[in-house]
Amino acid sequence: MSTSRQRSRLRGLAPGLAVLRGYQRGWLRPDLVAGATVGAMLIPQSMAYAELAGMPPEYGFYAVLAPLVVYALVGTSRHLGVGPEPGTAILAATGVGAMAAGDPARYVALMAALALVVGAIAILGAAARLGFVASVLSKPVLVGYITGVGLTLLSSQIAAFTGVAIEADRFFPRVTELVREIGDVDPATLVLGTAVLALLLSLRRWAPTWPGALIAVALATALVWLVPGAGPMVPVVGAIPEGLPTPGLPDVGWADLVGLLPVAVGIVLVGFTDNVLTGRSVADRLGYRVEPNQELLALGLTNLGSGLSQGFPVSSSASRTAVPASLGSRTQVVSLVAAGLVIATLALLSPVLGEIPRTALAAVIVSAAIAILDVPGYRALWRASRQEALLALVATLGVIAFDVLVGVVVAVSLSIVVALGRIARPHDAILGDAPDLDGWVEVDAHPEATPEPGLLVYRFDAPLFFLNADRFAARVLDVLEVNPGAEEWLVLDFEGVGALDATALDMLTTLLERLGGLGIEVVAVARANDDVVRRLRRVDLLEPQGQLRDFATINAAVRAFRQRQRE
């Protein structure tokens, strides 16, 4: 095999490794600085998000080590920060909690199994070239879902942040319980948590490239350790086992794997969409491409790595993606350096990690929750479309009123309903000739455009299939009725009709018969693509077997009409 073919195959299977093979010496310094910064961010975030997932804090480290290395080899983003993420963590906890039935060991095993199921689904999806599913969640639904997750995260930390024992597991009951038990708030826990949160938000605002979580958590730990009598008053993490996890398969049965499938599908959908959107936000700015199918494969392999290392499902973090890009990093060496820092921390600093106040980790989660509350997204939707803003609100309520998994179902269902609604009732228009604009345009949008007397040009802006076939026929008859003049020709502009199904073909057959009875002499299609033309010809709708005439352009149809008139 030639060297060029080997390189091409390597880029296809392991694009990250292909980039690393061409590594340049000048990239090393910014990559090292960014890697150290990301590693410093990961240490408190991994612990906090593990607790959010219902796992002991050390499992956050187990969930990040293999994914960092794997993604550096197989990912297409040079900056994506893979690892534990709050939305994925809370979605996983929602699915596993009921199955574990209060058994901590079974909970840990099910979490690892869930990561493996997520990995398997993503890999199968990549093999089936399903990268397009990154577009399943529309903008309003994604804004609503993410905001709902943020509010759920906020409510999930009420107990750790205030010291109040909260038993509820939903947003509104948690808030109600806090109001009812407001007298049980622990002042020391609340003050420390508020101080850590204020520092986190300040560092995010004024020093966004600093490892704010590490700084804030380290200061909180030092404060609890130094202030006399503070230790017993503020709960801490507790003992963290030293060393690395032992790779292996979790002890679960086939029935457990089947039971994990629904939540695994939700995690794949949300995690993959988030990875692609986050990766593209940086790649577009820096001039390289993120390939969706390869990213789906990377999501699968990173989750397999996490599951085999006793971790839990992972995706990516927007902050751990933006920071290395802002520091000038060039490759995923950043992830390798961050992984090395996490390993060193586990090996050397486990006793120190055990002294971190739980309220400080809660503040890290609350800070992340505030960051993903997409208020600007709601404002933009409100300006663009009140209807889409309402859809976002429904998605948010679906998450906080029920749970995150139900919220995923609501979000996907809303996206599908919105898409089907737009296809079922798409935009359409009567076209007129506008010589100054060099073409045929909508007469409603361009009053200067003039229709051709005796000829009507009608455009339908959607694929024509069972969902909108009746709508198309009804609209054609409507515009013929309301359009003044005695039309002899009807030209159907099929530029927007990218496909036809059997229902649409049957509808066209019936419509042609109806139009003949209305005195329409000629019905033609213009600007139809090859696939549409082949389908029309296959069912004998096109001349000479059928009644439809086919023209490459609208002007060609108009010239034929004028020639017919002269004759």
Side-chain angles (χ1 to χ4, degrees), residues 272-287:
F272 175 53
T273 302
D274 189 39
N275 283 10
V276 171
L277 293 178
T278 303
R280 279 179 176 168
S281 67
V282 175
D284 291 346
R285 191 169 71 248
L286 298 181

Side-chain angles (χ1 to χ4, degrees), residues 22-380:
Y23 199 82
Q24 299 179 20
R25 186 175 180 180
W27 298 348
L28 184 59
R29 185 178 181 279
D31 280 356
L32 288 176
V33 172
T37 305
V38 170
M41 296 171 69
L42 264 172
I43 292 167
Q45 287 182 358
S46 296
M47 298 175 68
Y49 300 159
E51 292 210 324
L52 184 61
M55 306 275 281
E58 64 269 18
Y59 284 85
F61 298 128
Y62 301 165
V64 76
L65 291 175
L68 286 173
V69 177
V70 169
Y71 189 85
L73 302 179
V74 302
T76 59
S77 171
R78 302 178 187 180
H79 299 88
L80 190 69
V82 298
E85 185 270 334
T88 304
I90 198 167
L91 181 53
T94 301
V96 169
M99 293 180 63
D103 184 342
R106 178 167 165 76
Y107 190 97
V108 169
L110 286 171
M111 273 292 189
L114 178 58
L116 294 177
V117 176
V118 167
I121 292 173
I123 291 171
L124 290 174
R129 310 293 294 174
L130 297 181
F132 65 87
V133 300
S135 303
V136 165
L137 295 179
S138 64
K139 173 69 174 181
V141 171
L142 197 58
V143 167
Y145 169 78
I146 293 298
T147 301
V149 169
L151 292 172
T152 301
L153 292 176
L154 287 175
S155 70
S156 72
Q157 298 307 300
I158 290 175
F161 203 78
T162 65
V164 176
I166 301 293
E167 301 295 333
D169 59 354
R170 299 284 189 274
F171 177 83
F172 292 113
R174 284 169 176 164
V175 174
T176 302
E177 196 169 345
L178 173 64
V179 173
R180 189 170 59 246
E181 306 294 337
I182 194 70
D184 294 339
V185 170
D186 180 64
T189 300
L190 180 61
V191 169
L192 181 61
T194 303
V196 173
L197 178 61
L199 180 57
L200 283 168
L201 297 178
S202 299
L203 290 173
R204 180 188 298 162
R205 174 68 177 86
W206 303 108
T209 60
W210 290 19
L214 181 66
I215 293 171
V217 169
L219 289 176
T221 304
L223 182 66
V224 171
W225 186 66
L226 291 173
V227 174
M233 297 173 61
V234 179
V236 297
V237 168
I240 299 290
E242 297 181 2
L244 301 177
T246 302
L249 293 172
D251 184 16
V252 295
W254 285 108
D256 295 322
L257 298 178
V258 172
L260 292 170
L261 280 174
V263 67
V265 171
I267 290 173
V268 169
L269 178 60
V270 174
F272 175 53
T273 302
D274 189 39
N275 283 10
V276 171
L277 293 178
T278 303
R280 279 179 176 168
S281 67
V282 175
D284 291 346
R285 191 169 71 248
L286 298 181
Y288 66 90
R289 290 181 59 191
V290 169
E291 208 285 312
N293 278 306
Q294 185 66 25
E295 286 302 303
L296 189 53
L297 175 64
L299 177 68
L301 293 175
T302 53
N303 275 279
L304 286 185
S306 177
L308 293 173
S309 302
Q310 304 178 44
F312 52 90
V314 297
S315 55
S316 66
S317 162
S319 62
R320 296 197 305 270
T321 301
V323 166
S326 66
L327 291 173
S329 71
R330 303 296 297 273
T331 71
Q332 280 289 343
V333 165
V334 170
S335 292
L336 300 178
V337 173
L341 187 59
V342 172
I343 291 172
T345 301
L346 267 177
L348 303 175
L349 297 178
S350 292
V352 177
L353 297 177
E355 299 302 319
I356 293 175
R358 289 189 177 274
T359 187
L361 295 182
V364 172
I365 296 174
V366 170
S367 172
I370 292 172
I372 65 175
L373 294 177
D374 200 355
V375 177
Y378 265 104
R379 290 200 194 103

Side-chain angles (χ1 to χ4, degrees), residues 136-148 374 377-378 380-382 385-396 411 414-415 418 422:
V136 165
L137 295 179
S138 64
K139 173 69 174 181
V141 171
L142 197 58
V143 167
Y145 169 78
I146 293 298
T147 301
D374 200 355
Y378 265 104
L381 288 174
W382 185 258
S385 169
R386 305 291 170 86
Q387 181 185 24
E388 291 190 309
L390 181 61
L391 285 174
L393 180 60
V394 172
T396 297
L414 283 174
S415 290
V418 170
R422 287 174 177 168

